[in-house]
PDB file of all heavy atoms in Angstrom:
ATOM      1  N   GLU A 628      49.793   3.825-210.144  1.00 90.00           N
ATOM      2  CA  GLU A 628      48.737   3.486-211.100  1.00 90.00           C
ATOM      3  C   GLU A 628      49.171   2.304-211.963  1.00 90.00           C
ATOM      4  O   GLU A 628      50.231   2.329-212.579  1.00 90.00           O
ATOM      5  CB  GLU A 628      48.435   4.693-211.986  1.00 90.00           C
ATOM      6  CG  GLU A 628      47.409   4.438-213.068  1.00 90.00           C
ATOM      7  CD  GLU A 628      46.035   4.107-212.506  1.00 90.00           C
ATOM      8  OE1 GLU A 628      45.601   4.819-211.566  1.00 90.00           O
ATOM      9  OE2 GLU A 628      45.415   3.140-212.988  1.00 90.00           O
ATOM     10  N   THR A 629      48.352   1.264-211.986  1.00 90.00           N
ATOM     11  CA  THR A 629      48.708   0.078-212.766  1.00 90.00           C
ATOM     12  C   THR A 629      48.127   0.095-214.165  1.00 90.00           C
ATOM     13  O   THR A 629      48.661  -0.540-215.070  1.00 90.00           O
ATOM     14  CB  THR A 629      48.241  -1.205-212.053  1.00 90.00           C
ATOM     15  OG1 THR A 629      46.821  -1.151-211.875  1.00 90.00           O
ATOM     16  CG2 THR A 629      48.919  -1.349-210.706  1.00 90.00           C
ATOM     17  N   GLY A 630      47.029   0.774-214.351  1.00 91.00           N
ATOM     18  CA  GLY A 630      46.367   0.779-215.644  1.00 91.00           C
ATOM     19  C   GLY A 630      47.024   1.738-216.612  1.00 91.00           C
ATOM     20  O   GLY A 630      47.086   2.944-216.371  1.00 91.00           O
ATOM     21  N   GLY A 631      47.530   1.211-217.718  1.00 94.00           N
ATOM     22  CA  GLY A 631      48.127   2.047-218.741  1.00 94.00           C
ATOM     23  C   GLY A 631      47.125   2.417-219.813  1.00 94.00           C
ATOM     24  O   GLY A 631      46.049   1.814-219.927  1.00 94.00           O
ATOM     25  N   SER A 632      47.473   3.403-220.631  1.00 94.00           N
ATOM     26  CA  SER A 632      46.543   3.914-221.631  1.00 94.00           C
ATOM     27  C   SER A 632      47.030   3.728-223.058  1.00 94.00           C
ATOM     28  O   SER A 632      46.347   4.117-223.996  1.00 94.00           O
ATOM     29  CB  SER A 632      46.300   5.410-221.397  1.00 94.00           C
ATOM     30  OG  SER A 632      47.506   6.150-221.511  1.00 94.00           O
ATOM     31  N   ARG A 633      48.182   3.132-223.239  1.00 96.00           N
ATOM     32  CA  ARG A 633      48.730   3.004-224.592  1.00 96.00           C
ATOM     33  C   ARG A 633      48.034   1.874-225.359  1.00 96.00           C
ATOM     34  O   ARG A 633      47.711   0.827-224.793  1.00 96.00           O
ATOM     35  CB  ARG A 633      50.233   2.738-224.538  1.00 96.00           C
ATOM     36  CG  ARG A 633      51.031   3.836-223.856  1.00 96.00           C
ATOM     37  CD  ARG A 633      52.516   3.601-223.977  1.00 96.00           C
ATOM     38  NE  ARG A 633      52.943   3.698-225.364  1.00 96.00           N
ATOM     39  CZ  ARG A 633      54.166   3.387-225.790  1.00 96.00           C
ATOM     40  NH1 ARG A 633      55.074   2.952-224.920  1.00 96.00           N
ATOM     41  NH2 ARG A 633      54.481   3.495-227.076  1.00 96.00           N
ATOM     42  N   ASP A 634      47.812   2.095-226.656  1.00 97.00           N
ATOM     43  CA  ASP A 634      47.230   1.051-227.496  1.00 97.00           C
ATOM     44  C   ASP A 634      48.177  -0.143-227.576  1.00 97.00           C
ATOM     45  O   ASP A 634      49.398   0.010-227.495  1.00 97.00           O
ATOM     46  CB  ASP A 634      46.989   1.564-228.914  1.00 97.00           C
ATOM     47  CG  ASP A 634      45.975   2.688-228.973  1.00 97.00           C
ATOM     48  OD1 ASP A 634      45.286   2.910-227.974  1.00 97.00           O
ATOM     49  OD2 ASP A 634      45.882   3.326-230.038  1.00 97.00           O
ATOM     50  N   TRP A 635      47.592  -1.321-227.754  1.00 98.00           N
ATOM     51  CA  TRP A 635      48.387  -2.520-227.987  1.00 98.00           C
ATOM     52  C   TRP A 635      48.455  -2.754-229.497  1.00 98.00           C
ATOM     53  O   TRP A 635      47.431  -2.985-230.144  1.00 98.00           O
ATOM     54  CB  TRP A 635      47.780  -3.737-227.297  1.00 98.00           C
ATOM     55  CG  TRP A 635      48.618  -4.964-227.490  1.00 98.00           C
ATOM     56  CD1 TRP A 635      48.534  -5.859-228.507  1.00 98.00           C
ATOM     57  CD2 TRP A 635      49.707  -5.396-226.665  1.00 98.00           C
ATOM     58  NE1 TRP A 635      49.488  -6.840-228.370  1.00 98.00           N
ATOM     59  CE2 TRP A 635      50.223  -6.578-227.247  1.00 98.00           C
ATOM     60  CE3 TRP A 635      50.281  -4.906-225.498  1.00 98.00           C
ATOM     61  CZ2 TRP A 635      51.286  -7.273-226.693  1.00 98.00           C
ATOM     62  CZ3 TRP A 635      51.351  -5.609-224.947  1.00 98.00           C
ATOM     63  CH2 TRP A 635      51.834  -6.775-225.531  1.00 98.00           C
ATOM     64  N   MET A 636      49.641  -2.671-230.063  1.00 98.00           N
ATOM     65  CA  MET A 636      49.820  -2.816-231.510  1.00 98.00           C
ATOM     66  C   MET A 636      49.753  -4.293-231.870  1.00 98.00           C
ATOM     67  O   MET A 636      50.760  -4.994-231.923  1.00 98.00           O
ATOM     68  CB  MET A 636      51.147  -2.198-231.929  1.00 98.00           C
ATOM     69  CG  MET A 636      51.264  -0.730-231.581  1.00 98.00           C
ATOM     70  SD  MET A 636      52.910  -0.097-231.994  1.00 98.00           S
ATOM     71  CE  MET A 636      52.928   1.417-231.012  1.00 98.00           C
ATOM     72  N   ALA A 637      48.556  -4.772-232.139  1.00 98.00           N
ATOM     73  CA  ALA A 637      48.351  -6.202-232.368  1.00 98.00           C
ATOM     74  C   ALA A 637      48.889  -6.659-233.716  1.00 98.00           C
ATOM     75  O   ALA A 637      49.442  -7.753-233.833  1.00 98.00           O
ATOM     76  CB  ALA A 637      46.863  -6.529-232.253  1.00 98.00           C
ATOM     77  N   PHE A 638      48.715  -5.833-234.755  1.00 98.00           N
ATOM     78  CA  PHE A 638      49.196  -6.181-236.092  1.00 98.00           C
ATOM     79  C   PHE A 638      50.040  -5.009-236.599  1.00 98.00           C
ATOM     80  O   PHE A 638      49.562  -3.872-236.663  1.00 98.00           O
ATOM     81  CB  PHE A 638      48.047  -6.362-237.090  1.00 98.00           C
ATOM     82  CG  PHE A 638      46.953  -7.310-236.698  1.00 98.00           C
ATOM     83  CD1 PHE A 638      45.725  -7.244-237.343  1.00 98.00           C
ATOM     84  CD2 PHE A 638      47.123  -8.270-235.717  1.00 98.00           C
ATOM     85  CE1 PHE A 638      44.689  -8.109-237.010  1.00 98.00           C
ATOM     86  CE2 PHE A 638      46.105  -9.135-235.366  1.00 98.00           C
ATOM     87  CZ  PHE A 638      44.873  -9.058-236.015  1.00 98.00           C
ATOM     88  N   ARG A 639      51.272  -5.294-236.987  1.00 98.00           N
ATOM     89  CA  ARG A 639      52.059  -4.248-237.640  1.00 98.00           C
ATOM     90  C   ARG A 639      52.789  -4.819-238.846  1.00 98.00           C
ATOM     91  O   ARG A 639      52.952  -6.042-238.987  1.00 98.00           O
ATOM     92  CB  ARG A 639      53.011  -3.556-236.668  1.00 98.00           C
ATOM     93  CG  ARG A 639      54.012  -4.401-235.919  1.00 98.00           C
ATOM     94  CD  ARG A 639      54.771  -3.517-234.913  1.00 98.00           C
ATOM     95  NE  ARG A 639      55.777  -4.239-234.163  1.00 98.00           N
ATOM     96  CZ  ARG A 639      57.044  -4.384-234.542  1.00 98.00           C
ATOM     97  NH1 ARG A 639      57.458  -3.852-235.682  1.00 98.00           N
ATOM     98  NH2 ARG A 639      57.908  -5.037-233.786  1.00 98.00           N
ATOM     99  N   LEU A 640      53.226  -3.933-239.726  1.00 98.00           N
ATOM    100  CA  LEU A 640      53.679  -4.344-241.049  1.00 98.00           C
ATOM    101  C   LEU A 640      54.924  -5.219-241.008  1.00 98.00           C
ATOM    102  O   LEU A 640      55.105  -6.078-241.884  1.00 98.00           O
ATOM    103  CB  LEU A 640      53.941  -3.102-241.907  1.00 98.00           C
ATOM    104  CG  LEU A 640      54.069  -3.341-243.412  1.00 98.00           C
ATOM    105  CD1 LEU A 640      52.752  -3.870-243.986  1.00 98.00           C
ATOM    106  CD2 LEU A 640      54.481  -2.069-244.131  1.00 98.00           C
TER     107      LEU A 640
END
Side-chain angles (χ1 to χ4, degrees):
E628 177 64 45
T629 59
S632 61
R633 300 187 66 188
D634 296 347
W635 182 271
M636 301 176 198
F638 307 162
R639 57 185 181 90
L640 195 64

